[in-house]
Amino acid sequence: MRKAPLVSAVAGMLALVSGAQAQNTPEGYQLQQVLIMSRHNLRAPLADNGSVLAQSTPNEWPQWDVPGGQLTTKGGVLEVYMGHYMREWLAQEGLVKAGECPAPQAVYAYANSLQRTVATAQFFITGAFPGCDVPVHHQEKMGTMDPTFNPVITDNSPAFHDKAISAMQAERQGMQLEESYRLLAQMTRYSDSPACKEKQVCSLTEAKDSFSADYGKEPGVSGPLKVGNSLVDAFTLQYYEGFPMDQVAWGDINSDQQWRVLSKLKNGYQDALFTSREVAQNVAKPLVKYIDKALVTDRDKALAITLLVGHDSNIASLLTALDFTPYQLHDQYERTPIGGKIVFQRWHDKQANRDLMKIEYVYQSAQQLRNAEVLTLKSPAQRVTLSLKGCPVDANGFCPMDKFTMVMNEAAK
């Protein structure tokens, strides 16, 4: 396992204003452990200017200053802000001390071995623990997927293959995407695209999706859902990066309603591939086992703070594998937004002498991302309390640790 050096070029970003906004924590509750499962922050489009993007429109795509899939400079800034905010909250709750480096071995950062995930972890640590020696761990060979974060099919049986394909098809059939495809075709001038003129694929609504669930590979789809996801992903990233609005989707997006309609394609792509129970329980298993070990089976030896950095596919499949109830993120179009974090929190209730679990989605709103807004306790990130079906929460968002343990034990089998 390689240790990556911390990023030092962002020191100037750290002159941030501290705040003291209190969280609503019941009297006598003490935060004891936190595990943060994060999606990487802002990257250039994965499809870059070739393949799907170039085939889907005659329009010119704006240029990015980093290669496709890599974390952008702004993505680093946004993650520093998130790290700083999380540090303020952790200090407020007494898990770390303000102005001091954490004790040796108190923090463990572990990222998938791609540039955007390792860099995200580095920037988070720089924001949370500036000047401190907190390494980011990852596989030695960069550019390859770490098995813990690699959401691939691990069941080679024909029966599972057929079940997985059926489950993905069922997810897709429940979606109403015709309006989204029509709007997208209009914005991209799809009827004048190379896909139409050279391959005679001229309609996103009439073409069919074809799903795959091959052993050792990620769940996949070819067809309009993949095209729609790639295009809307590119528009969304342009918006977050701060491209002028006349360059975001060539100036054709001018309302929240259009964003909501388009985002159905991106969210639908993720839902179809990673949120059916059959697929999610299989592809999320390595990550579930890692989290189970950190929070349940080895928690007596656990570090105070664990940071994991992976992908939206990790978060989507994890939420289904653990059977979270449906959630709604305010001020966001994405269901698993760039830089968003599932924050598992183990608390101790001193008065009742019991342990409790609280789980929150902590993320930046679309506006906070575009405007690169500094995050502090006075100007906080967005927080939404999540609930597990097997561990219902009380009025303050807490569920009993023994019930959480049962959920994790079952999921990790």
Side-chain angles (χ1 to χ4, degrees), residues 138-390:
H138 62 86
Q139 281 191 146
E140 181 71 28
K141 189 175 180 182
M142 288 288 287
T144 60
M145 294 290 286
D146 185 312
T148 299
F149 300 99
N150 199 5
V152 297
I153 301 292
T154 59
D155 188 328
N156 201 18
S157 69
F160 178 83
H161 174 271
D162 294 346
K163 190 167 65 170
I165 295 292
S166 296
M168 289 188 281
Q169 290 172 337
E171 288 283 340
R172 171 62 186 91
Q173 286 168 3
M175 301 172 190
Q176 302 297 321
L177 300 178
E178 289 75 12
E179 180 186 9
S180 304
Y181 282 130
R182 284 195 297 271
L183 179 59
L184 188 61
Q186 176 186 325
M187 289 180 172
T188 58
R189 297 164 55 205
Y190 196 74
S191 60
D192 292 326
S193 70
C196 178
K197 292 190 170 182
E198 299 169 12
K199 300 179 181 178
Q200 286 71 55
V201 180
C202 298
S203 172
L204 291 171
T205 54
E206 293 176 10
K208 300 298 182 185
D209 291 312
S210 177
F211 292 93
S212 61
D214 298 332
Y215 176 72
K217 297 181 179 180
E218 288 191 24
V221 62
S222 60
L225 193 59
K226 181 177 181 179
V227 173
N229 173 70
S230 296
L231 293 167
V232 176
D233 180 62
F235 298 160
T236 304
L237 296 170
Q238 290 169 359
Y239 180 78
Y240 291 160
E241 182 68 14
F243 280 70
M245 286 308 295
D246 63 358
Q247 292 183 28
V248 177
W250 309 284
D252 284 340
I253 300 179
N254 48 45
S255 72
D256 282 345
Q257 177 60 17
Q258 287 175 309
W259 277 118
R260 280 192 289 270
V261 170
L262 290 172
S263 294
K264 287 182 180 179
L265 294 171
K266 193 168 185 302
N267 293 329
Y269 172 88
Q270 186 182 84
D271 286 350
L273 294 187
F274 294 106
T275 68
S276 68
R277 183 165 304 283
E278 292 83 356
V279 172
Q281 288 178 337
N282 182 266
V283 302
K285 186 73 75 174
L287 186 58
V288 168
K289 288 185 174 181
Y290 189 98
I291 294 173
D292 176 63
K293 187 174 181 181
L295 294 176
V296 177
T297 58
D298 286 356
R299 78 178 189 206
D300 292 339
K301 299 179 285 184
L303 305 178
I305 301 164
T306 301
L307 171 68
L308 307 176
V309 182
H311 307 270
D312 52 356
S313 53
N314 294 134
I315 290 178
S317 57
L318 177 69
L319 292 176
T320 297
L322 298 183
D323 207 8
F324 279 82
T325 59
Y327 64 93
Q328 184 69 43
L329 301 183
H330 50 79
D331 301 318
Q332 249 299 345
Y333 307 110
E334 294 188 280
R335 193 162 297 140
T336 54
I338 282 284
K341 292 158 175 58
I342 307 299
V343 183
F344 295 84
Q345 310 157 34
R346 182 164 59 86
W347 294 76
H348 184 68
D349 174 5
K350 289 186 283 188
Q351 294 178 356
N353 192 27
R354 58 177 184 153
D355 281 354
L356 300 156
M357 174 60 59
K358 184 173 187 178
I359 308 169
E360 291 180 285
Y361 214 134
V362 180
Y363 63 98
Q364 286 144 302
S365 70
Q367 209 62 27
Q368 285 175 320
L369 290 167
R370 179 166 175 82
N371 296 338
E373 295 179 16
V374 174
L375 302 178
T376 68
L377 291 180
K378 288 186 176 178
S379 302
Q382 312 302 309
R383 301 181 78 127
V384 171
T385 300
L386 302 178
S387 176
L388 292 158
K389 288 182 181 175

Side-chain angles (χ1 to χ4, degrees), residues 33-45:
Q33 183 188 5
V34 166
L35 183 144
I36 302 166
M37 176 61 224
S38 177
R39 183 187 177 191
H40 59 78
N41 216 296
L42 182 57
R43 56 164 171 74

